[in-house]
Amino acid sequence: MFKAPDGDSDLIKKVAVVTGAARGIGLATVKQLISEGWYVAMLDVDAVANSEAHQSLSDATNVIAIACDISSPESVAAAAERVMSQWSRVDALVNNAGIAIFKPALETTFEEWSQVLDVNLSGAFICSQIFARLMLQGGKGGAIVNITSISATRASTLRVAYGTSKAGLVHLTKQLGAELGTLGIRVNAVSPGPVETAMAKQVHTPEIRSDYHDAIPLGRYGLEEELAKAIYFLCSDQSSYINGETLNVDGGFAATGIGLASFRNTSPE
Ligand code: NAD
């Protein structure tokens, strides 16, 4: 804990900014941070859902909700101003906001491609740049956690824009880890396997669900809370010597090659 910058005798804890905070993995991360005593700024482009999510929290005392489109530098700059006027510091940024358009490569329009890249990759760059500058003002460094995907490292059908955007985000994690690491800001990523969120409900067909079952040793989707715990670990001092790394939280998907489905079929129950 540290003293409030205005000299107020109240002690405030660390401040985190979470993008895409209105639901899913983002909202679970907000709850995890609150449970650890952090102050949290919830950013989301869906102002109504974000406000409702904020109101639904059992303890929203040290939480603010800010409408923000992370693909717009102006919108992110305004959100940063709001965070600074509230707490005068930022210790962690979770670049979680993302969108998915699953379509065959030859049917994906340039507009769809651009939309996905603008949010998933450029949005994380914009937020990292703006909030890292604020972390440096605090003089104590900080942590950035990017939410990538198993689609970043293993190509698949239908994910030409989504998978490419997330692969870019894995490399952005390394680039920023290299540069910002020298300034005391650690930059890491969490790569989720499939998680039963609104996004998954929108793009995961029964065929995709069956494919995942055949490719994940743990044989199930991840829980939002399981992702939130890993994200929190990388925000916290518990991971103080981890930088530029991508942590797979995917039930073993990335570790596995061929043979899983046939092994399941022949294994004794
Ligand atoms: P979700 O769709 O449930 O929630 C995403 C949130 O981001 C929404 O509240 C949405 O309003 C917000 N958002 C979208 N565009 C935005 C923008 N331009 N500015 C600000 N906010 C914006 O998604 P989720 O399933 O919780 O996924 C969270 C992250 O995890 C995403 O980056 C996603 O790609 C990644 N991921 C999810 C899965 C999965 O199976 N759910 C798997 C791998 C990776």
Side-chain angles (χ1 to χ4, degrees), residues 20 23 25 44-45 68-70 96 148 162 166 193 195 197 199:
R23 66 186 196 199
I25 296 168
D44 204 289
V45 72
C68 175
D69 177 356
I70 59 153
N96 165 76
T148 63
Y162 184 75
K166 294 294 189 178
V195 182
T197 64
M199 175 186 280

Side-chain angles (χ1 to χ4, degrees), residues 19-27 43-47 49-50 67-72 95-100 118-120 123 147-151 162 166 169 190-204 212 221 224 227:
T19 72
R23 66 186 196 199
I25 296 168
L27 182 57
L43 273 54
D44 204 289
V45 72
D46 186 337
N50 203 29
C68 175
D69 177 356
I70 59 153
S71 65
S72 154
N95 281 315
N96 165 76
I99 56 172
D118 283 352
V119 176
N120 294 4
I147 312 309
T148 63
S149 168
I150 48 176
S151 301
Y162 184 75
K166 294 294 189 178
L169 189 54
V190 165
S191 173
V195 182
E196 195 60 86
T197 64
M199 175 186 280
K201 287 192 177 86
Q202 181 200 331
V203 293
H204 290 185
Y212 276 134
Y221 275 40
E224 294 164 355
L227 272 300

